[in-house]
Amino acid sequence: MGRSSSRTIGTLENACRIIGVLRETEGAGVTEIADELDFAKSAVHGHLATLRSEGFVVKDDHTYRLSLRFLQIAEEVKNYTADHTIVKEELAQLAEATGEVVHFGTEEQGCVVYLAKVRGNVAVETASKVGNRMPMHSTSLGKAILAEMPSERRDEIIERHELTKETDRTITDPDALRADLEETRERGYSIDDEENIRGVRCIGMAVSAPDGEVMGALSISGPSKRMTDKRMRDELYEQVAQSANVIEVNSRYS
């Protein structure tokens, strides 16, 4: 039983690594995959045949690509957190009202995962993409979520994940981060003060599920010259709070 279980886990791991290569290359042949992973061609061919029969991979001549089934799965998974249609509608309205980049994300395995992004008409381009994972300690999304988490879970994330220095303004000391999160709770919103990208500031706010658990967070990002403390306090706070409330209310009845 132990050997069979070990073989099964190894086989699944290898299949996942092949999927990873197809994702990075946007399509590859058996030889290319085998060379990249140092696998036997016969093993790669077997994995690809299985993935193809299950609908996860398509073949075009000698090139294999990930199928659109991943898109279907991704859309369904996004709805596990919140009604994605409502989220997109609120992000679109928020982006139109502010002109900036607006995100919605959630926590998974101690990181922030972007689930939606909408750009306003004066927004600066950012490297963030839907599906990207980012540190929690240096992003307004992450800090907004951390601030509203149960203390045990929050401390576990802070202790287990390295507080990497993304910019010269990133908070890398655990005690300083806890103090910043306390300020976030008192203020009602988080601030990324050029801590993730130099020259970009963000305001974030947690979004709660009907049971009180944090389902995710909203954020508005823009150039530091536009994202002043006064604008965050007097303008953006109310706008992001209204959108968060709409998502929360609709989640109760979805």
Side-chain angles (χ1 to χ4, degrees):
M1 176 68 80
R3 290 182 60 190
S4 176
S5 175
S6 176
R7 283 200 303 270
T8 300
I9 293 171
T11 300
L12 180 59
E13 182 181 61
N14 291 341
C16 289
R17 292 180 67 188
I18 289 172
I19 289 172
V21 171
L22 294 179
R23 174 176 173 266
E24 292 171 0
T25 61
E26 299 182 4
V30 171
T31 300
E32 184 180 350
I33 296 170
D35 290 346
E36 176 68 24
L37 298 176
D38 196 23
F39 287 173
K41 290 183 182 179
S42 59
V44 172
H45 190 273
H47 283 302
L48 289 170
T50 301
L51 290 168
R52 188 182 178 195
S53 69
E54 294 297 321
F56 290 102
V57 164
V58 294
K59 184 181 180 184
D60 180 16
D61 291 331
H62 299 293
T63 300
Y64 292 85
R65 295 184 176 83
L66 299 181
S67 78
L68 294 177
R69 186 171 181 187
F70 284 97
L71 178 62
Q72 176 190 2
I73 293 170
E75 289 301 315
E76 292 172 355
V77 169
K78 282 190 277 189
N79 281 317
Y80 293 168
T81 302
D83 187 320
H84 196 61
T85 301
I86 299 298
V87 169
K88 287 288 286 185
E89 289 175 355
E90 285 305 309
L91 260 62
Q93 291 182 27
L94 203 52
E96 182 178 3
T98 64
E100 308 292 359
V101 178
V102 183
H103 295 98
F104 179 81
T106 191
E107 180 268 333
E108 185 176 74
Q109 296 181 330
C111 296
V112 168
V113 182
Y114 291 113
L115 298 184
K117 174 184 178 180
V118 179
R119 297 181 71 247
N121 62 350
V122 295
V124 294
E125 188 54 70
T126 63
S128 59
K129 294 181 180 179
V130 172
N132 277 7
R133 291 174 177 268
M134 297 295 289
M136 298 193 74
H137 69 286
S138 61
T139 57
S140 62
L141 287 175
K143 292 202 286 184
I145 294 171
L146 282 171
E148 299 300 327
M149 271 184 173
S151 58
E152 297 82 4
R153 174 63 177 148
R154 179 170 59 250
D155 287 340
E156 179 189 2
I157 290 174
I158 293 174
E159 290 166 9
R160 288 186 58 186
H161 292 262
E162 182 183 0
L163 303 183
T164 53
K165 194 174 186 63
E166 304 299 322
T167 75
D168 59 347
R169 300 181 68 91
T170 307
I171 300 173
T172 57
D173 177 73
D175 290 335
L177 177 59
R178 290 186 178 93
D180 185 81
L181 296 176
E182 181 60 34
E183 283 185 41
T184 295
R185 281 191 293 274
E186 294 175 357
R187 186 172 51 224
Y189 58 90
S190 62
I191 296 176
D192 162 9
D193 189 14
E194 302 184 62
E195 297 162 53
N196 200 54
I197 303 173
R198 210 59 169 97
V200 176
R201 298 185 84 208
C202 315
I203 177 175
M205 183 173 293
V207 180
S208 298
D211 61 3
E213 291 289 319
V214 180
M215 70 169 79
L218 289 168
S219 73
I220 303 171
S221 306
S224 56
K225 289 184 178 179
R226 286 204 299 261
M227 299 292 287
T228 62
D229 289 339
K230 184 178 188 304
R231 186 186 180 202
M232 288 185 184
R233 181 182 65 249
D234 297 344
E235 176 188 340
L236 301 180
Y237 168 70
E238 184 176 344
Q239 291 173 313
V240 75
Q242 182 175 334
S243 290
N245 182 248
V246 170
I247 295 172
E248 290 173 345
V249 170
N250 279 278
S251 296
R252 295 191 183 102
Y253 302 104
S254 61

